[in-house]
Amino acid sequence: SQKIEQNSEALNIQEGKTATLTCNYTNYSPAYLQWYRQDPGRGPVFLLLIRENEKEKRKERLKVTFDTTLKQSLFHITASQPADSATYLCALDYTGGGNKLTFGTGTQLKVEL
Amino acid sequence: DAMVIQNPRYQVTQFGKPVTLSCSQTLNHNVMYWYQQKSSQAPKLLFHYYDKDFNNEADTPDNFQSRRPNTSFCFLDIRSPGLGDAAMYLCATSRAGQGAREQYFGPGTRLTVT
């Protein structure tokens, strides 16, 4: 069965630095990969989506890369701020129709002053 | 603002006592999902509706059922909650169609089983 691996250890970085989060998966590549932010006790919020034929996607301070050879996606937050502190989930869409997502467990990011 | 609403935000039920969680949406999306999320775990899809078509995940226990009386509302029924069913239950919606679609989540209902 498909496995999604995100670093279970919290990532602590200093304000202003770039945070890089990793999402690795096994077996076959998804058609699409999405990243979500989840704050404690809240539902996930969509951030970015990248297709399998795209190498990189950007939105403001966020950047996502997708390497189907390495079976890995990297999620970058540049000029990080304490307000960026949250858990970040990657989600894989194998259906191509966007109807079902398989989520990773997420990585907790803490941005310190 | 268009949104996904879940009620109640916190629900306490007794072991074995049926409970219903509700979700409504103003986005007019035709796909609605129910996820279970336990502490530090990934959201786990229980089932989803594509319009009126119900799609159950193979490993969703029979104890969990769902109803979607119209486009806007969807309910999660837990017939006989066990202690292991204590979790956050998340409702989400998306537009169906060709290509990827992001999902819009509600704030969740935290279920406690005593």
Side-chain angles (χ1 to χ4, degrees), chain B:
Chain B
D1 284 341
M3 56 174 50
V4 181
I5 302 160
Q6 290 188 247
N7 285 308
R9 292 294 314 279
Y10 300 91
Q11 176 74 56
V12 180
T13 191
Q14 291 179 332
F15 183 94
K17 186 174 181 181
V19 66
T20 295
L21 309 182
S22 69
C23 176
S24 64
Q25 54 131 340
T26 60
L27 296 161
N28 204 31
H29 286 168
N30 53 343
V31 189
M32 294 187 77
Y33 309 81
W34 279 105
Y35 290 88
Q36 179 194 65
Q37 186 178 27
K38 296 185 178 180
S39 182
S40 301
Q41 294 187 20
K44 179 180 180 298
L45 182 64
L46 297 173
F47 23 61
H48 75 280
Y49 278 92
Y50 189 128
D51 292 322
K52 292 185 177 180
D53 293 334
F54 177 70
N55 298 272
N56 198 27
E57 293 301 298
D59 56 355
T60 297
D62 293 339
N63 198 24
F64 291 86
Q65 297 184 338
S66 184
R67 296 169 283 135
R68 189 179 185 186
N70 53 52
T71 300
S72 301
F73 285 87
C74 196
F75 300 97
L76 170 62
D77 300 309
I78 309 177
R79 290 192 296 182
S80 181
L83 298 178
D85 297 328
M88 175 76 90
Y89 289 88
L90 297 164
C91 174
T93 72
S94 72
R95 281 185 298 122
Q98 284 197 344
R101 295 284 184 267
E102 65 268 28
Q103 294 186 9
Y104 294 79
F105 283 82
T109 295
R110 171 77 61 188
L111 178 68
T112 300
V113 181
T114 61

Side-chain angles (χ1 to χ4, degrees), chain A residues 32 36 38 49 97 99-100 104, chain B residues 33 37 42 50 57 97 99-100 103:
Chain A
Y32 305 91
Y36 287 77
Q38 187 172 27
L49 177 154
N99 287 341
K100 283 177 60 170
Chain B
Y33 309 81
Q37 186 178 27
Y50 189 128
E57 293 301 298
Q103 294 186 9

